[in-house]
Amino acid sequence: MFARRLFTVTAGAVSAVVLTATTASAHFCYFDNPNPKANAGRANSSGFVSFGAIAAMEGFCPAGAEVLADAVGVSTSTMINAHGLMAGPTGGNKAISHLDFGALEAAIPDAIAACEV
C-alpha cells in the first residue's frame, strides 16, 4: 500500500512539474489528420516525439499512456511537436491542434491505476 501511494504521489508531482515547465516553452502541437509520408518524416526528426514516448519518459506504462492519449483525443503514435510552436491552419495546411492539458491532468490518476494492474 505504501509503495502504491508513493508511486501515485511521485508520478503526480513529476507530471505537474513537467506539464507546467514545458508549456511555457511549447504548446505541444500536432496535426489532426497528418499525411502518412510527412508523419514518417516527423518520426525521424528531432522536433517531433510520439505521444507514447512522451508518456513513457514521464514514467507511464503503455496502458497508462493509452489512457492519457484517449483523454486528449490522440493515439500514442501521434507525433507531437515538443520543441516549438506551429502556425495555425493556413492555405493548404492540415488543421493544427494543441494537447488539452486540463484533460491530460484529469486522466493522470486513471493512467497511474492502469499501470498498477
Side-chain angles (χ1 to χ4, degrees):
M1 184 67 166
F2 176 75
R4 180 179 180 182
R5 182 173 289 145
L6 179 62
F7 177 78
T8 302
V9 170
T10 302
V14 167
S15 297
V17 168
V18 169
L19 291 176
T20 57
T22 55
T23 55
S25 63
H27 287 268
F28 286 85
C29 310
Y30 63 94
F31 288 96
D32 287 329
N33 188 14
N35 173 304
K37 287 184 180 180
N39 228 22
R42 288 183 197 102
N44 293 321
S45 76
S46 62
F48 285 83
V49 181
S50 73
F51 184 88
I54 293 171
M57 286 186 267
E58 297 306 319
F60 290 97
C61 66
E66 286 288 341
V67 169
L68 295 174
D70 288 345
V72 296
V74 300
S75 71
T76 55
S77 62
T78 299
M79 299 306 295
I80 308 294
N81 183 345
H83 294 290
L85 303 176
M86 297 191 303
T90 59
N93 287 351
K94 300 285 185 191
I96 296 171
S97 293
H98 307 279
L99 290 179
D100 178 352
F101 287 103
L104 183 68
E105 192 172 332
I108 289 174
D110 291 336
I112 292 169
C115 291
E116 292 177 345
V117 174

